């Protein structure tokens, strides 16, 4: 038996989603935020999309930089993720405040987050308004990844990496590697 | 030390993502497909987006129906999800072939998947081409959920539901409920 709601104060039922730190450098401003609303958009060309509310400083910085990086964190960085999500770059320099280590990218000028197990360098292809967020469409120019953490097809090894998953309302958890199954239908 | 790739045969490093069955009814055609490329887009209005390749029958059916349902499956339905993803509705009537149970929606005319732990009824707001996929933007008109599986804010209880997570290349796994953390930053 299911409940049916046509009004909901919080629209959250779709979680868990992995958490990525998304950001850029524009001039001397560097800002990143935690982002759980994201998805691959296209294989060819490889496009990845992130949703950002208009009031966020990251929105302003990526719009100016015309590029961004997407950095996936593992579960042991849950506190950093929570901090990077709840504070705004309008209030505090989050990179300094939370001791985030940056590293240079290969193609773009904006930095990556050093502790990410995989990071994408993206050129901003377009920005599309959707309700109260904007979809930032990134063309993926380079992927930085811990080679031990992925197989040759880019599939994450759940024994090596425990991705950080967000459940909504400040709840987090991770995967159970013992449940891994390979299912090829007939 | 990280490897850097600027060419990748398969663009997969972003998984795990939950798997949803997405579909609609148009006339006497009902079709659903497994979809791991999806994201929330907006809180107000509540918008949810799914990416669908143009060759899929689901693309045709949702475009004709101007509505769709999004149905999240638990890990014990991993085989159904694999089947619904790999086969095309152009080849076989997947609902009959795989014994999928449908149930009527409340607002839209298209059905929901009975075994989903949460399902969204969506009005098709727009379709936006993005590389080799189209983004179908759904305005969420109703949420059907197992009330025992979510708290009052719509946060999933990981002891009650084990969501199905896709890792790419036919690999699946689920969450570890014992890792749940509630982290409210200072």
């Amino acid at each position: 038996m299911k409940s049916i709601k046509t009004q909901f104060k919080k629209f959250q039922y779709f979680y868990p989603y992995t958490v990525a730190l998304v950001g850029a450098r524009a001039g001397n401003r560097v800002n990143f935020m935690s982002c759980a609303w994201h998805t691959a958009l296209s294989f060819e060309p490889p496009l990845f999309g992130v949703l950002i509310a208009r009031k966020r400083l990251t929105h302003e910085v990526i719009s100016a930089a015309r590029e961004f990086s997407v950095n996936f964190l593992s579960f042991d960085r849950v506190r950093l993720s929570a901090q990077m999500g709840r504070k705004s770059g309008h209030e505090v320099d989050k990179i300094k405040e939370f001791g985030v280590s940056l590293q240079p990218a290969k193609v773009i000028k904006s930095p990556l987050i050093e502790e990410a197990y995989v990071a994408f360098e993206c050129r901003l292809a377009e920005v599309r308004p959707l309700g109260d967020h904007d979809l930032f469409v990134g063309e993926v120019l380079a992927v930085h990844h811990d080679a031990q953490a992925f197989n040759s097809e880019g599939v994450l090894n759940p024994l090596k990496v425990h991705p950080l998953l967000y459940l909504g309302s400040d709840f987090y958890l991770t995967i159970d590697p013992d449940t891994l199954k390979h299912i090829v239908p007939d």
Side-chain angles (χ1 to χ4, degrees), chain A residues 44-129:
Chain A
E44 192 48 52
L47 300 178
F48 195 81
V50 298
L51 279 299
I52 304 177
R54 288 174 204 114
K55 67 180 177 190
R56 304 298 301 238
L57 179 59
T58 302
H59 190 289
E60 199 179 313
V61 171
I62 294 179
S63 297
R66 306 299 299 170
E67 61 179 29
F68 58 97
S69 71
V70 180
N71 306 267
F72 290 90
L73 294 182
S74 62
F75 187 59
D76 55 3
R77 304 316 305 259
V78 58
R79 181 159 292 277
L80 176 62
S81 168
Q83 288 167 324
M84 298 291 282
R86 284 289 171 200
K87 287 264 179 171
S88 167
H90 288 302
E91 299 156 29
V92 61
D93 180 338
K94 291 192 272 186
I95 301 301
K96 278 192 191 157
E97 177 88 3
F98 304 128
V100 180
S101 304
L102 302 177
Q103 68 172 61
K106 182 182 166 70
V107 184
I108 65 176
K109 289 175 187 162
S110 293
L112 311 176
I113 305 291
E114 199 172 25
E115 47 262 78
Y117 62 86
V118 63
F120 301 159
E121 298 185 31
C122 298
R123 184 185 67 79
L124 181 60
E126 50 183 314
V127 182
R128 299 190 180 195

Side-chain angles (χ1 to χ4, degrees), chain A residues 5 7-9 23 26 31 42 49 69 94 96 98 106-107 113 121 127 129 137 146 168 171-172:
Chain A
K5 284 193 181 182
Q7 296 289 330
F8 15 83
K9 240 195 303 185
N31 199 60
S42 169
S69 71
K94 291 192 272 186
K96 278 192 191 157
F98 304 128
K106 182 182 166 70
V107 184
I113 305 291
E121 298 185 31
V127 182
V137 178
D146 178 349
F171 285 95
Y172 298 85

